[in-house]
Amino acid sequence: MADTSFLAWPFFEDHHRALARDVTNWAADRFGDSGFAEHADVDADCAVIRGALGAAGIVRNAVPAAHGGVSEALDVRSLCLIREHLAYRSGLADFVFAMQGLGSGAISLFGTPEQAQTWLPGTGEGALCAAFALTEPEAGSDVAAIATTATQDGDQYVISGEKTFISNGGIADYYVVFVRTGEAGGARGLSAIIVPAATPGLVVAERIETIAPHPLARLQFENCRVPVGNRIGEAGAGFRIAMATLDVFRSTVGAAALGFARRALDEATRRARGRKLFGAPLADLPGVQTQLADMAVDIDAAALLIYRAAWTKDMGAARVTREAAMAKLFATEAAQKAIDAAVQIFGGLGVTKGSVPEALYREIRALRIYEGASEVQKLVIARAHLAEAAP
């Protein structure tokens, strides 16, 4: 039922339209209407989904062609389309795909040929599980406040510190960890280092449960030693690497929200047509029609912002920080409103455990926080605007 007319927009090429169709069909066959059902064992379900996405060739879109991927460079429109169509059917499937891309993204963009060949083929096949370890207890949106250290000792780095809210924490095969190597103060003293999960001194200190069950963990690094050759890019380039990676994947967060919002609109439309109130369908009520109209407008506006940002990046823009921030901000906030409206239209069933609106309500909330909270996106947008408006 989801609208596909947007695929005719000039942002897309024929291979994007074919990809959207293939992912839609795969997700429908794989999940049907049960993709938002409860997961008794999230870790095991993630492994199964990751293997299935790999076998279907979908995860290959998250790594470059030189290392088993589809496109020569990461194609942001493809990443967005995949996340949107997976999210429509299953929040966990979207999560699994997204983390394969984000977790390996720094290697795809900045890794050496040796690093890329070691980690990317297995990631694109779904055989290896990737993770992106940036957040700390006192460093979320403020990346420059990272306190985890990596001290060079000969040909090794000794990592000490803590990371938290790490997606795939506890199940990943490797982590791209952002640490303070001290070349300068603040953001200029950070580096990115690949840490295999089996490295002594890397401890999964706590598994974190959230309202939408995903594998998250708090990690501790206790004199954890890795080769200097595991550093991605130059020493001190970690902040630039993190921001460039987020520049690619931040638009895809908006795309996932868009998939959730489309599902909410479709569910609400079915409910409004099928549920009678005072002898007539809910859909005949002006108030319900207004809600549906608002949802439809916000969804199209979100899609325009998302695919503008993705197209701009794919056309060779060095940075799309402003465009990606706008896309993520608007799409996630609009999806929250759309899902809330769907819950309202469903009434009591909308807050019943196991219903699609209830699951969507839990899934969407974190998207307004991770990879830059909405409030931070507003700062990014305002600063870009002020810089452009400077005399």
Side-chain angles (χ1 to χ4, degrees), residues 93-360:
D94 164 65
F95 170 88
V96 170
F97 173 79
M99 287 315 304
Q100 290 298 94
L102 179 63
S104 63
I107 302 174
S108 294
L109 296 171
F110 298 99
T112 65
E114 294 75 19
Q115 291 169 345
Q117 191 55 39
T118 298
W119 300 108
L120 295 184
T123 301
E125 294 165 1
L128 293 178
C129 181
F132 184 82
L134 184 69
T135 301
E136 296 183 5
E138 302 300 327
S141 296
D142 184 6
V143 175
I146 281 176
T148 297
T149 60
T151 304
Q152 188 166 348
D153 180 17
D155 61 355
Q156 293 184 323
Y157 276 119
V158 182
I159 303 175
S160 297
E162 184 175 318
K163 297 288 180 179
T164 193
F165 289 108
I166 303 307
S167 296
N168 281 343
I171 67 171
D173 293 294
Y174 66 96
Y175 300 84
V176 172
V177 184
F178 292 85
V179 296
R180 182 161 300 284
T181 44
E183 288 72 25
R188 293 179 295 174
L190 305 178
S191 296
I193 298 176
I194 304 166
V195 181
T199 305
L202 169 54
V203 178
V204 179
E206 177 189 9
R207 294 298 298 273
I208 300 171
E209 295 187 15
T210 54
I211 56 175
H214 293 159
L216 298 171
R218 178 168 61 88
L219 309 176
Q220 289 182 339
F221 298 86
E222 302 170 353
N223 296 314
C224 178
R225 289 180 172 267
V226 296
V228 170
N230 282 25
R231 188 187 67 226
I232 302 172
E234 300 174 355
F239 183 83
R240 177 172 59 86
I241 290 171
M243 294 303 103
T245 303
L246 292 173
D247 227 31
V248 169
F249 288 95
R250 187 164 280 149
S251 298
T252 77
V253 181
L258 179 60
F260 292 147
R262 288 195 194 280
R263 183 64 182 269
L265 176 57
D266 287 350
E267 294 291 329
T269 302
R270 275 191 286 265
R271 176 69 173 172
R273 284 175 167 170
R275 172 69 166 174
K276 288 190 175 181
L277 186 67
F278 307 123
L282 277 177
D284 287 354
L285 297 175
V288 173
Q289 292 179 1
T290 296
Q291 287 178 305
L292 295 174
D294 287 342
M295 294 164 76
V297 171
D298 281 352
I299 284 170
D300 265 19
L304 284 163
L305 285 169
I306 290 161
Y307 290 110
R308 177 191 70 161
W311 176 85
T312 301
K313 185 64 177 175
D314 288 341
M315 291 300 101
R319 297 295 300 271
V320 289
T321 304
R322 171 181 172 275
E323 292 87 347
M326 285 184 169
K328 181 187 185 293
L329 170 66
F330 187 87
T332 56
E333 294 291 333
Q336 182 79 66
K337 290 190 293 182
I339 292 166
D340 188 68
V343 169
Q344 197 73 12
I345 290 169
F346 266 73
L349 291 178
V351 291
T352 302
K353 190 173 183 179
S355 72
V356 173
E358 181 267 345
L360 289 169

